[in-house]
Amino acid sequence: MKQLATLNHFFFKYRYRFLLGILFIILTNYFRILVPQLTGYVVNNVVHAIDGTKANPLLNKEKQYDFLVKATIEKIDSQSLKAKIFWCSIILLLLALISGFFMFLMRQTIIVMSRLIEYDQKNQVFNHYQQLDTGFFKVQSTGDLMSRISEDVSRVRMYTGPAIMYFINLAAILCFSVYFMLQASPKLTLVALSPLPILAVTIYLVNTIINKRSERIQSLLSSLTTNAQESYSGIRVIKSFVQEKAMLGFFTANSEDYKKNALGLAKTEAIYFPSMALLIGISTLVTIMVGALDVVNNRGGTTVGTIAEFVLYIQMLTFPVSAIGWTASMAQRAAASQKRINEFLETKSAIEDPKEKLQPPLNKSINFKNVDFTYSNTGIHALQNFSLHINAGEKIAIVGKTGSGKSTIAQLLLRVYDPQTGEIMYDGKPLTSIDLAYLREGISYVPQDGFLFSETIHNNIAFGLAAATEQTVTAAAQLACIHNEISSFKEGYKTMIGERGVTLSGGQKQRISIARALIKKPSIVIFDDCLSAVDAKTEKEILNNLNLYLQDKTAIIITHRIFSLLEFDKIIVLDDGLMVEEGTHSELLARNGFYTEMYNRQQQNEHSTA
Ligand code: ADP
Ligand code: MG
């Protein structure tokens, strides 16, 4: 439960709303509690009119009424029975209206407060997610991240809103009613209240079972949806492998499991209200019985009116008391959810913005000094004792087989990860002292798997630049040789990408990601194998365009193909995390090693396909 204490600063933030809410809860219950007293008075008057000896309203008048009720009684006590009943009915109606009005205000304050907290918390969690390093996202599943920001936050809201409201409500009504019940008859109070703890505990237990079952159902439902979703996405594979029947069988089995659990839940829920009604019925019955015996034997000043009053008190207490069981299990669930949220909020990013926030020019020298890097989640030693010096404005190519560590170099340059040993420096300044946002804004990076958002093509390209105009977007698309294809779409740059729009080919996606990178005005350009799905002719065209664009920039082009078009100042060859060769195209060819072998193989392929 101490997990929930982390929410206290939210309550403090909304303290005025919260206090106002508490005041409204108290007022609601105050006006409700007057109803039984006035009803008791009316009943006693009626009984007295029928049989004067059995009930004496004058005796009852000495009883400790609330001062408002007392004042009312003093006003109308001398009038005729008809007038008394008439006025009391009017006042009862008024009381219901007033307490209803305050109940409206109480929900308006407390429930609204919980929505505001939910909003704050969602933003807090989302913002924290964004601060965390990429390594974190590699380890955590997307589903888990999603459920913490949606489901867990909603459960916490059930605590900050309804649970707290019902709890204060119970406290208020309990204080008021027990006080006036004790005034009327301590003995009947005991009789009427004794079944209530049993009611609270029963409801708590039943609720816990219900919650467990619903959770199970929730997870079954989510696997069912995932199952269906995957089938729809992979429908082409399913059909071509004629696996429709197998998939249906799989789905039906999941569905069956879900149905069984849902029916079980319905059964548990079905005993909920009857058992509640039974307990309240018993409580009411016993109170009437004990009260009636007292009236008959003329004991303890109990009147028929007192019995009526108590029956109303029991009715009034039933819902709040049963809510306490519900509240307790809500708070428990909220605590579990808050614990999961806190786990993430307490996770510190492995990459932190440095205090110095240096902003050195990025297109000057870049230095790798004996860099060693191991991916902590897999233990793969991706880069070993890697040293490289890049001069201002140089064009560097990195070649090597898949898995040789090429992309890792790009990740380290962007400070997505920090190397375990060694140092990376921009213009002589350690990477770890450079302003992170400044660094990443200064680098145009085209990742290997260019991710595109389900948005328009325009917005995808303009993503890297807040103030992108139509002209700049078009210019970037022209540089990336994708403009003509975009123009051929019916809606041009307004075409949606993804589920609700066009399906792009791999090469088109790559070129849109290139356009997205080129729209920025960076100091460094890093292309991570982003021309792999582009045909040779277009590739040549793009590289031609780039020659001009890259003039004043440092460029690092990762590829597993060797371009003869771009003049590279230096080509480095990686193998299994080690730099095996380094030099210009002609130098490397002269060495007749790794590079030459790669080059020859590629020449052969090109000739055989041509
Ligand atoms: P390349 O880009 O040359 O194909 P990478 O730099 O992507 O190679 O990968 C180098 C090695 O590190 C590979 O063995 C790969 O499996 C591993 N690796 C790459 N990214 C990760 C990651 N995020 N977590 C764990 N291991 C990784
Ligand atoms: Mg790679």
Side-chain angles (χ1 to χ4, degrees):
M1 285 288 168
K2 68 172 190 293
Q3 298 287 347
L4 292 175
T6 41
L7 291 166
N8 288 349
H9 74 276
F10 285 125
F11 291 128
F12 185 74
K13 180 177 174 192
Y14 296 110
R15 58 192 177 279
Y16 297 119
R17 199 178 280 273
F18 191 29
L19 288 175
L20 207 62
I22 295 176
L23 180 72
F24 289 143
I25 294 176
I26 292 172
L27 285 172
T28 307
N29 287 307
Y30 172 67
F31 286 104
R32 281 181 70 197
I33 209 70
L34 304 183
V35 172
Q37 296 179 28
L38 207 59
T39 312
Y41 169 77
V42 175
V43 169
N44 274 348
N45 272 283
V46 173
V47 172
H48 181 68
I50 299 167
D51 178 2
T53 52
K54 277 279 156 26
N56 185 356
L58 293 177
L59 170 87
N60 214 26
K61 204 164 65 171
E62 284 152 26
K63 177 182 148 240
Q64 201 58 50
Y65 279 124
D66 175 78
F67 80 98
L68 267 186
V69 177
K70 209 184 274 171
T72 314
I73 290 175
E74 264 161 27
K75 270 247 156 49
I76 60 173
D77 206 33
S78 52
Q79 301 192 10
S80 70
L81 180 67
K82 259 190 193 157
K84 276 187 204 169
I85 293 177
F86 173 75
W87 283 116
C88 283
S89 317
I90 297 283
I91 292 166
L92 285 176
L93 199 65
L94 271 178
L95 285 177
L97 281 175
I98 295 172
S99 104
F101 175 65
F102 282 119
M103 197 184 288
F104 166 76
L105 291 180
M106 131 188 145
R107 295 193 77 90
Q108 276 296 303
T109 43
I110 302 265
I111 301 294
V112 167
M113 174 186 79
S114 76
R115 288 288 181 197
L116 293 174
I117 293 179
E118 180 189 29
Y119 168 82
D120 286 350
Q121 211 179 15
K122 275 205 163 110
N123 290 339
Q124 184 193 22
V125 174
F126 184 76
N127 187 36
H128 189 75
Y129 278 180
Q130 290 213 350
Q131 308 297 322
L132 290 171
D133 56 292
T134 334
F136 171 85
F137 292 94
K138 281 260 166 9
V139 183
Q140 303 294 340
S141 77
T142 313
D144 193 30
L145 292 169
M146 293 300 292
S147 84
R148 288 185 206 213
I149 203 170
S150 56
E151 230 166 90
D152 284 329
V153 171
S154 307
R155 282 194 192 160
V156 170
R157 191 193 74 81
M158 292 308 278
Y159 160 75
T160 57
I164 286 218
M165 185 176 78
Y166 287 133
F167 183 76
I168 299 171
N169 189 51
L170 172 70
I173 191 119
L174 214 56
C175 287
F176 279 131
S177 51
V178 170
Y179 174 75
F180 288 114
M181 278 163 101
L182 284 174
Q183 300 293 337
S185 161
K187 184 173 154 196
L188 277 188
T189 308
L190 203 69
V191 172
L193 291 185
S194 53
L196 292 184
I198 306 174
L199 180 67
V201 172
T202 314
I203 288 185
Y204 171 72
L205 291 178
V206 174
N207 234 319
T208 315
I209 298 174
I210 288 181
N211 285 343
K212 270 212 192 96
R213 297 220 165 164
S214 341
E215 241 151 73
R216 170 104 186 97
I217 287 177
Q218 200 60 43
S219 83
L220 283 173
L221 186 65
S222 102
S223 79
L224 203 64
T225 354
T226 316
N227 184 202
Q229 194 182 359
E230 205 150 83
S231 306
Y232 302 148
S233 318
I235 192 74
R236 283 198 298 187
V237 179
I238 293 174
K239 279 187 185 293
S240 59
F241 283 79
V242 204
Q243 290 297 314
E244 292 97 329
K245 250 203 192 125
M247 290 308 283
L248 178 63
F250 190 48
F251 186 81
T252 316
N254 268 343
S255 227
E256 181 72 32
D257 207 7
Y258 175 76
K259 183 187 83 184
K260 241 188 240 153
N261 275 278
L263 292 183
L265 177 66
K267 215 178 273 167
T268 317
E269 277 175 338
I271 43 174
Y272 193 91
F273 286 106
S275 57
M276 211 168 108
L278 184 71
L279 272 168
I280 296 156
I282 291 172
S283 167
T284 314
L285 209 67
V286 174
T287 309
I288 293 177
M289 209 173 74
V290 174
L293 282 175
D294 278 358
V295 173
V296 171
N297 297 326
N298 221 343
R299 273 198 303 244
T302 308
T303 61
V304 179
T306 320
I307 298 175
E309 199 179 327
F310 268 74
V311 169
L312 287 178
Y313 282 134
I314 293 173
Q315 295 256 310
M316 224 170 248
L317 281 170
T318 318
F319 178 71
V321 169
S322 56
I324 187 75
W326 181 84
T327 306
S329 70
M330 271 305 135
Q332 222 169 35
R333 264 153 70 98
S337 283
Q338 186 60 37
K339 186 167 164 236
R340 283 157 51 80
I341 294 172
N342 286 346
E343 257 167 32
F344 272 9
L345 290 182
E346 282 156 16
T347 309
K348 281 227 163 54
S349 176
I351 306 294
E352 295 236 329
D353 216 5
K355 279 193 199 68
E356 308 94 298
K357 287 192 179 255
L358 298 185
Q359 305 199 336
L362 298 174
N363 56 354
K364 294 286 174 337
S365 69
I366 303 174
N367 252 313
F368 281 79
K369 245 201 285 178
N370 308 101
V371 169
D372 252 81
F373 181 73
T374 305
Y375 284 100
S376 55
N377 56 331
T378 53
I380 291 175
H381 201 167
L383 220 51
Q384 303 177 36
N385 199 21
F386 180 78
S387 294
L388 175 68
H389 181 82
I390 302 173
N391 291 314
E394 272 188 341
K395 318 285 174 266
I396 306 288
I398 303 176
V399 295
K401 289 183 289 209
T402 40
S404 56
K406 304 183 300 291
S407 300
T408 306
I409 294 177
Q411 305 283 304
L412 292 177
L413 279 172
L414 282 157
R415 212 184 157 210
V416 173
Y417 299 101
D418 278 335
Q420 278 86 14
T421 54
E423 200 172 27
I424 300 169
M425 285 188 295
Y426 283 86
D427 193 32
K429 307 283 183 308
L431 175 52
T432 45
S433 65
I434 297 173
D435 185 347
L436 257 186
Y438 167 81
L439 171 82
R440 292 177 182 165
E441 268 162 21
I443 301 177
S444 268
Y445 168 58
V446 187
Q448 206 167 354
D449 50 341
F451 174 83
L452 298 178
F453 296 94
S454 299
E455 255 292 345
T456 60
I457 293 178
H458 174 99
N459 287 348
N460 264 290
I461 296 178
F463 187 73
L465 198 69
T469 61
E470 225 156 275
Q471 281 85 359
T472 49
V473 169
T474 314
Q478 273 163 344
L479 265 182
C481 293
I482 183 78
H483 173 72
N484 289 342
E485 277 154 83
I486 297 173
S487 306
S488 75
F489 293 145
K490 217 171 38 208
E491 289 170 83
Y493 282 85
K494 296 243 152 42
T495 309
M496 293 292 291
I497 295 177
E499 292 226 319
R500 285 176 298 136
V502 292
T503 317
L504 297 170
S505 75
Q508 287 171 328
K509 278 189 204 155
Q510 283 189 338
R511 278 174 287 152
I512 289 178
S513 347
I514 293 174
R516 173 169 64 193
L518 295 184
I519 202 169
K520 292 210 285 185
K521 296 278 170 286
S523 314
I524 302 175
V525 176
I526 302 175
F527 278 11
D528 190 351
D529 212 1
C530 56
L531 291 167
S532 57
V534 177
D535 63 88
K537 189 174 149 277
T538 318
E539 181 184 298
K540 268 185 198 151
E541 221 174 302
I542 296 175
L543 290 174
N544 248 338
N545 294 343
L546 284 182
N547 260 331
L548 199 74
Y549 175 84
L550 291 178
Q551 248 170 14
D552 54 339
K553 300 177 177 73
T554 303
I556 295 158
I557 315 280
I558 296 170
T559 175
H560 62 262
R561 256 191 290 179
I562 295 163
F563 312 115
S564 38
L565 254 168
L566 261 187
E567 276 282 311
F568 288 110
D569 298 293
K570 203 182 284 168
I571 298 168
I572 62 170
V573 185
L574 281 181
D575 188 35
D576 227 355
L578 278 170
M579 193 202 288
V580 288
E581 282 173 25
E582 180 183 2
T584 59
H585 180 66
S586 46
E587 277 169 12
L588 288 176
L589 279 184
R591 281 181 73 161
N592 207 10
F594 227 92
Y595 183 80
T596 318
E597 196 190 315
M598 245 179 108
Y599 185 70
N600 287 340
R601 206 179 315 129
Q602 195 184 315
Q603 295 298 99
Q604 265 172 17
N605 280 349
E606 267 172 30
H607 285 297
S608 60
T609 50

